[in-house]
Amino acid sequence: MGRDETETYITVPSFFKCPISLDVMRSPVSLCTGVTYDRASIQRWLDGGNNTCPATMQLLKTKDFVPNLTLQRLIKIWSDSIGRYNTAGSPPPSGREVPTVEEVNVLLKRLMSLEKNDETRIEILSRIVRFVKDSDSNREFLSAMKEFVPMLVDIIRTKTKKIELVLMAIRILDTVKGDRERLSNLMLANDDGDCLTAILLAIQRGNLESKIESVRVLDWISFDAKSKLLIAERDGIITEMIKSISITESDPSLIEASLSFLITISKSKRVRSKLIAAKTITKIKDILMTETLTNVAVTEKSLKLLETLSSKREGRLEICGEDNGRCVEGVVKKLLKVSTTATEHAVTILWCLCYVFREDKTAEETVERSNGVTKLLVVIQSNCSAMVRQMAKDLIKVLKINSSALSAYETKTTHIMPF
């Protein structure tokens, strides 16, 4: 068992932990209120211009503090007893266990009173992250607090040089979420764009995990037609999303999150036009034509988004014209190869291109050239929905497969189960 695994099972006495950092105190000192803190943590608090006791919020009559030697000796005895620290200068265990509800209440009171001390706010938020990641009940506890989510939104909206502070707040929001309409209104109602600017910055500068969390928050607050349009028309957001679904540059988890968001906002006709103009279809074609892609969710969502974009004429023309029909070829390649859901999206796209509108013969030619007819014949015998099986029959008629050949094929493939 490694060191980190061993630490998980060590219970740290609560009075050994600093109320500010929640770490075991290295140099415990007491304020005039009688509350003991780690010297470094309380010094940062006081240096930040605060004149209250963080735990009790009492006004300090004096900012002087005195060493708590008795507690320091107890911590030293405890540290030695667990056999992990045998020198006086060695740090005691970090106490990185999940905070209790009581500790979180104290942290939140302090967080709401802090305005300028970003370092301390980051420290507090990191502990709240640990709390919300631990259980559903913890998330429900914070989500039910009336002032908690608005406080996080204020942190995101407030201009700060500490991007880590914004990333922490976004991480907690992504985990807690809460009421979708309420969060959307909080972040977008003022129409000042500050929240969207901060999230865009997080996508541009954050690590992979932060990017995914930021995209998921955008997806969550895309609550109705107005919010979807407002977010989509924010300068830079669609551009970043198109980058995020690049198969050559992005992680599959980021691609999946970005596709989900694009599907959400593409329900608006105006947004669909923007996505088509931004060359989203080119990126989808790259995903569909990548042989090494094994992520089922990414493929399904790529086809779902392409199906949505094919509802507009410029989208259909772009699909047929993309790299001499390669996008259509990519759709055919995914028939019967990924999942029932992927096949149903693929058939719907081909039905739209080749049967309903038939604006460009390239689509029909590509389907025939890519062995699409044979695959469509199998779809008719598959476990796809009745509507999709009928679409496959419509396509076969358009592709001029004679009824006797179709009948013979159906007889041979009665027991074919493609999935």
Side-chain angles (χ1 to χ4, degrees):
M1 184 179 290
R3 175 171 176 164
D4 288 343
E5 293 175 290
T6 304
E7 288 184 6
T8 304
Y9 298 97
I10 294 172
T11 300
V12 181
S14 59
F15 58 93
F16 285 1
K17 295 185 290 186
C18 173
I20 296 176
S21 68
L22 296 186
D23 287 342
V24 176
M25 289 181 275
R26 302 185 183 197
S27 179
V29 295
S30 300
L31 288 180
C32 61
T33 57
V35 182
T36 300
Y37 301 91
D38 189 52
R39 182 186 295 270
S41 295
I42 192 61
Q43 192 65 63
R44 281 199 299 271
W45 169 264
L46 297 174
D47 289 346
N50 298 290
N51 60 354
T52 57
C53 173
T56 66
M57 298 312 294
Q58 287 180 259
L59 192 65
L60 296 174
K61 295 178 180 178
T62 172
K63 293 186 178 182
D64 295 336
F65 44 71
V66 295
N68 190 329
L69 299 178
T70 300
L71 184 56
Q72 189 168 27
R73 282 195 296 270
L74 289 173
I75 292 173
K76 177 65 167 59
I77 292 169
W78 173 77
S79 297
D80 290 344
S81 71
I82 61 174
R84 299 175 61 219
Y85 298 93
N86 51 24
T87 61
S90 297
S94 63
R96 294 294 182 182
E97 69 276 3
V98 177
T100 64
V101 170
E102 292 74 18
E103 289 170 335
V104 167
N105 276 323
V106 172
L107 289 172
L108 290 175
K109 286 179 182 177
R110 291 191 47 247
L111 188 59
M112 290 176 184
S113 69
L114 290 167
E115 293 183 0
K116 299 178 181 178
N117 196 327
D118 284 352
E119 293 293 343
T120 304
R121 290 202 291 174
I122 290 171
E123 196 173 90
I124 292 173
L125 287 178
S126 68
R127 279 143 184 80
I128 295 176
V129 166
R130 196 176 308 127
F131 180 79
V132 299
K133 294 282 187 181
D134 185 63
S135 68
D136 288 338
S137 60
N138 287 354
R139 290 187 281 275
E140 290 168 5
F141 167 74
L142 286 178
S143 180
M145 295 184 69
K146 184 177 180 181
E147 296 180 356
F148 179 67
V149 170
M151 178 189 63
L152 293 176
V153 173
D154 285 342
I155 289 173
I156 293 171
R157 178 176 284 117
T158 303
K159 295 178 176 63
T160 173
K161 293 181 180 179
K162 292 288 185 181
I163 184 68
E164 296 91 346
L165 188 61
V166 173
L167 297 182
M168 285 282 186
I170 290 173
R171 176 163 299 172
I172 296 169
L173 274 182
D174 176 52
T175 307
V176 174
K177 286 190 172 70
D179 184 272
R180 188 173 186 178
E181 182 177 7
R182 178 176 178 241
L183 181 57
S184 180
N185 288 334
L186 282 170
M187 299 189 80
L188 303 175
N190 291 339
D191 203 22
D192 54 14
D194 286 345
C195 281
L196 293 181
T197 299
I199 293 177
L200 182 59
L201 192 64
I203 294 171
Q204 293 170 334
R205 298 187 185 177
N207 59 23
L208 176 61
E209 187 178 11
S210 296
K211 290 176 188 287
I212 294 170
E213 291 161 348
S214 300
V215 172
R216 287 198 298 240
V217 169
L218 279 180
D219 195 353
W220 188 252
I221 65 174
S222 299
F223 173 73
D224 54 16
K226 181 180 178 181
S227 60
K228 289 169 188 174
L229 190 59
L230 182 63
I231 293 168
E233 294 192 336
R234 180 67 174 84
D235 288 344
I237 286 182
I238 284 184
T239 300
E240 286 300 321
M241 290 302 99
I242 303 304
K243 289 180 184 176
S244 295
I245 64 171
S246 172
I247 198 70
T248 57
E249 297 180 14
S250 291
D251 177 271
S253 297
L254 177 58
I255 294 174
E256 183 183 347
S258 301
L259 286 169
S260 294
F261 168 65
L262 291 175
I263 289 168
T264 298
I265 63 173
S266 66
K267 293 173 183 177
S268 160
K269 291 181 180 180
R270 197 155 138 192
V271 175
R272 288 201 291 273
S273 294
K274 289 177 71 68
L275 292 176
I276 293 165
K279 297 297 181 183
T280 306
I281 290 170
T282 299
K283 298 298 182 184
I284 296 176
K285 180 261 298 182
D286 292 340
I287 292 173
L288 298 179
M289 294 302 292
T290 301
E291 296 289 348
T292 56
L293 181 65
T294 58
N295 190 312
V296 173
V298 167
T299 304
E300 290 177 348
K301 290 177 180 180
S302 297
L303 289 166
K304 171 62 177 174
L305 182 56
L306 193 64
E307 178 187 326
T308 302
L309 298 181
S310 70
S311 66
K312 294 191 71 67
R313 185 173 186 275
E314 61 264 38
R316 296 190 294 273
L317 295 177
E318 186 75 18
I319 293 169
C320 295
E322 175 57 43
D323 200 8
N324 197 27
R326 291 277 284 173
C327 189
V328 178
E329 183 183 342
V331 174
V332 175
K333 284 169 68 71
K334 300 306 178 185
L335 281 171
L336 307 170
K337 193 174 181 180
V338 181
S339 67
T340 299
T341 299
T343 294
E344 293 191 343
H345 287 314
V347 170
T348 304
I349 293 166
L350 297 177
W351 182 75
C352 186
L353 296 174
C354 302
Y355 182 79
V356 178
F357 295 99
R358 305 186 69 182
E359 294 152 322
D360 192 322
K361 292 293 183 181
T362 303
E364 295 173 35
E365 294 167 359
T366 304
V367 173
E368 293 173 348
R369 186 178 67 247
S370 305
N371 199 32
V373 172
T374 301
K375 291 186 174 184
L376 288 168
L377 286 166
V378 177
V379 169
I380 295 173
Q381 301 298 317
S382 73
N383 59 351
C384 288
S385 68
M387 182 176 69
V388 168
R389 293 199 303 271
Q390 182 58 52
M391 288 180 181
K393 289 180 181 180
D394 292 340
L395 282 165
I396 289 168
K397 290 176 183 177
V398 168
L399 296 168
K400 299 181 175 62
I401 300 300
N402 65 70
S403 58
S404 59
L406 173 58
S407 178
Y409 190 86
E410 288 178 339
T411 301
K412 291 179 183 179
T413 59
T414 300
H415 302 293
I416 289 179
M417 295 297 292
F419 300 109

